[in-house]
Amino acid sequence: MATATATATATATAASPTRSRTYCFWNPYDCSVAWDRANTAFKKAQDLCPDKTLFQGTGAAFRHCYWNALMEIRLSTKDAYEVATRHESTSRGNDKEMDLRNNSIGQGIERSNTGKTNAGIHSRDACLNAQKNGSLWIIKSGRLVRSNS
């Protein structure tokens, strides 16, 4: 656990040095869960989405949705929001807006799956459906558009 916490703290610190370092110091469990869930979501995005979509495309949209849904399985709504928002604190422009919107959608998806058997699988499938039906957001030609555009 100490290694996972140290790794999560180091990763979160790279995203936003002061805010994340302080948050992870006082909330090491949250950061450890966030790091683990981010890795799970990234690996699933790599498995399901073309490589060229993993940054600002449908793969990134799915990853952020699924990451936030997975965090809400283990963390409170408030804690998942705190971690995700702090992670985006150094992003700017459409990239930040895209990630924040997809994070919020993933958090909402998990709330609708809370208590269900296999909540992670239900959330994964719901994020994939959201990506396919245009409920998520991507950046195309420098503009923020729906994921089915």
Side-chain angles (χ1 to χ4, degrees):
M1 177 77 163
T3 303
T5 301
T7 304
T9 302
T11 300
T13 299
S16 175
T18 304
R19 292 179 70 203
S20 291
R21 182 179 295 128
T22 301
Y23 184 82
C24 288
F25 178 80
W26 293 108
N27 301 281
Y29 175 78
D30 295 356
C31 291
S32 179
V33 168
W35 171 253
D36 178 65
R37 297 308 186 252
N39 284 331
T40 299
F42 182 73
K43 288 174 186 168
K44 188 54 70 178
Q46 285 180 308
D47 290 346
L48 299 173
C49 305
D51 287 346
K52 67 181 182 176
T53 68
L54 296 176
F55 178 71
Q56 297 184 342
T58 53
F62 165 77
R63 177 172 43 90
H64 277 265
C65 179
Y66 190 41
W67 172 49
N68 279 268
L70 289 173
M71 279 196 297
E72 284 229 1
I73 292 170
R74 296 284 299 273
L75 302 175
S76 70
T77 297
K78 177 186 171 289
D79 291 340
Y81 171 83
E82 282 289 327
V83 169
T85 302
R86 288 171 192 275
H87 172 74
E88 303 303 340
S89 67
T90 59
S91 296
R92 297 285 178 257
N94 284 343
D95 186 55
K96 181 175 187 168
E97 186 62 28
M98 179 187 104
D99 291 347
L100 289 173
R101 287 182 186 190
N102 293 327
N103 291 351
S104 178
I105 292 165
Q107 291 163 9
I109 283 172
E110 177 43 42
R111 273 181 240 122
S112 69
N113 286 313
T114 298
K116 289 185 179 176
T117 303
N118 299 319
I121 293 169
H122 289 289
S123 294
R124 179 202 64 208
D125 293 346
C127 286
L128 279 173
N129 288 334
Q131 176 215 357
K132 290 175 185 170
N133 73 24
S135 296
L136 299 181
W137 295 88
I138 63 172
I139 297 173
K140 192 179 266 187
S141 300
R143 292 183 20 245
L144 198 58
V145 297
R146 293 292 188 163
S147 55
N148 63 350
S149 296

